[in-house]
Amino acid sequence: VDWGEMFSFLSILFFFVYLCDTYGVLEFEPAGLSGEDILIIASNETIASSVLGEDLRWLGKEGSFFTVDGSRDVPLQGYSIGLSGNKKPIVFCTGFTESILKYPGFMRTLVENGHPIFSFDLRGQSFSGTTAWEDSEMKGRIGHVDTIEDYVDDLHEFFTSHVIQNIAEEQKDKVVYIGASLGGLIGSLYQARTGNFNSLVLSAPCF
């Protein structure tokens, strides 16, 4: 057993248990996250003095939080940060049942190196809405999606309505996509459909 990895896993697990306790899945307004909410999360005594707490405070103060209208009117929690950067813009997509709040240190490193970052929580996950909110059988089930194409359509809505609208003209053909696990699959399918990204970086894509 690698106790270092075990400790890291348990720390992340306890952190997300805290998130669920703070923002119960059924009570939290989909795509309603704000920088103040992030600062409240970062102040929790479990993580306040940790590197994660420091990075979350940076995200809460420097990031922009907004609602994206996903396909079939599902509200998605959007994030952007470092838009004044002059290097290649990056679209980052997380893995299954993850939140961008797991990656503030990663985002901070990219922003401090000059990259504008755009991201959103996938439907049915973290702070985004889901097609199952009003379905009595599936209501509140984390990670629910009707079809993989919903993810791809959501990425298209995010790219066209927010990313491409908030970068300089000369950057529009330089956007890099970074996808982790499920995010790798989504980005690959979207790139095959549109070719909108300059390049893709896929970490453990699920295909």
Side-chain angles (χ1 to χ4, degrees), residues 133-178:
W133 282 101
E134 301 303 327
D135 187 302
S136 60
E137 181 180 350
M138 300 299 294
K139 187 175 182 180
R141 185 168 296 182
I142 296 174
H144 172 74
V145 63
D146 293 327
T147 168
I148 189 69
E149 291 301 322
D150 283 340
Y151 288 138
V152 181
D153 291 342
D154 287 342
L155 177 56
H156 180 68
E157 293 294 331
F158 180 66
F159 184 83
T160 56
S161 69
H162 191 78
V163 178
I164 209 70
Q165 303 297 328
N166 287 280
I167 57 178
E169 188 66 34
E170 62 270 19
Q171 290 181 310
K172 291 182 179 180
D173 63 350
K174 299 177 181 178
V175 180
V176 176
Y177 179 89
I178 300 179

Side-chain angles (χ1 to χ4, degrees), residues 72-87:
R72 294 195 285 154
D73 299 320
V74 173
L76 307 174
Q77 179 62 59
Y79 309 84
S80 63
I81 193 163
L83 299 191
S84 61
N86 58 9
K87 293 187 179 179

Side-chain angles (χ1 to χ4, degrees), residues 58 111 181:
W58 167 82
V111 168
S181 189

Side-chain angles (χ1 to χ4, degrees), residues 8-185:
S8 297
F9 170 77
L10 291 175
S11 297
I12 293 172
L13 177 62
F14 290 144
F15 171 55
F16 280 100
V17 167
Y18 166 72
L19 289 184
C20 290
D21 182 58
T22 305
Y23 300 103
V25 173
L26 298 181
E27 287 83 24
F28 188 79
E29 185 69 23
L33 192 67
S34 69
E36 292 182 358
D37 294 324
I38 302 295
L39 295 176
I40 291 173
I41 294 170
S43 68
N44 178 264
E45 61 182 14
T46 304
I47 60 172
S49 60
S50 68
V51 174
L52 175 60
E54 179 182 343
D55 289 336
L56 283 171
R57 284 189 290 275
W58 167 82
L59 180 62
K61 293 175 181 178
E62 303 295 330
S64 296
F65 307 86
F66 50 89
T67 300
V68 179
D69 294 325
S71 68
R72 294 195 285 154
D73 299 320
V74 173
L76 307 174
Q77 179 62 59
Y79 309 84
S80 63
I81 193 163
L83 299 191
S84 61
N86 58 9
K87 293 187 179 179
K88 291 182 178 181
I90 292 174
V91 174
F92 175 53
C93 188
T94 67
F96 184 63
T97 69
E98 289 185 331
S99 168
I100 199 64
L101 301 191
K102 181 181 174 182
Y103 298 93
F106 175 65
M107 296 175 68
R108 186 174 187 176
T109 298
L110 293 172
V111 168
E112 290 177 349
N113 280 278
H115 296 279
I117 304 294
F118 301 88
S119 188
F120 66 97
D121 288 333
L122 298 174
R123 66 171 58 214
Q125 302 179 190
S126 194
F127 299 100
S128 285
T130 173
T131 51
W133 282 101
E134 301 303 327
D135 187 302
S136 60
E137 181 180 350
M138 300 299 294
K139 187 175 182 180
R141 185 168 296 182
I142 296 174
H144 172 74
V145 63
D146 293 327
T147 168
I148 189 69
E149 291 301 322
D150 283 340
Y151 288 138
V152 181
D153 291 342
D154 287 342
L155 177 56
H156 180 68
E157 293 294 331
F158 180 66
F159 184 83
T160 56
S161 69
H162 191 78
V163 178
I164 209 70
Q165 303 297 328
N166 287 280
I167 57 178
E169 188 66 34
E170 62 270 19
Q171 290 181 310
K172 291 182 179 180
D173 63 350
K174 299 177 181 178
V175 180
V176 176
Y177 179 89
I178 300 179
S181 189
L182 176 59
L185 173 61

Side-chain angles (χ1 to χ4, degrees), residues 176-195:
V176 176
Y177 179 89
I178 300 179
S181 189
L182 176 59
L185 173 61
I186 296 167
S188 298
L189 293 172
Y190 181 67
Q191 182 71 352
R193 178 197 290 183
T194 68

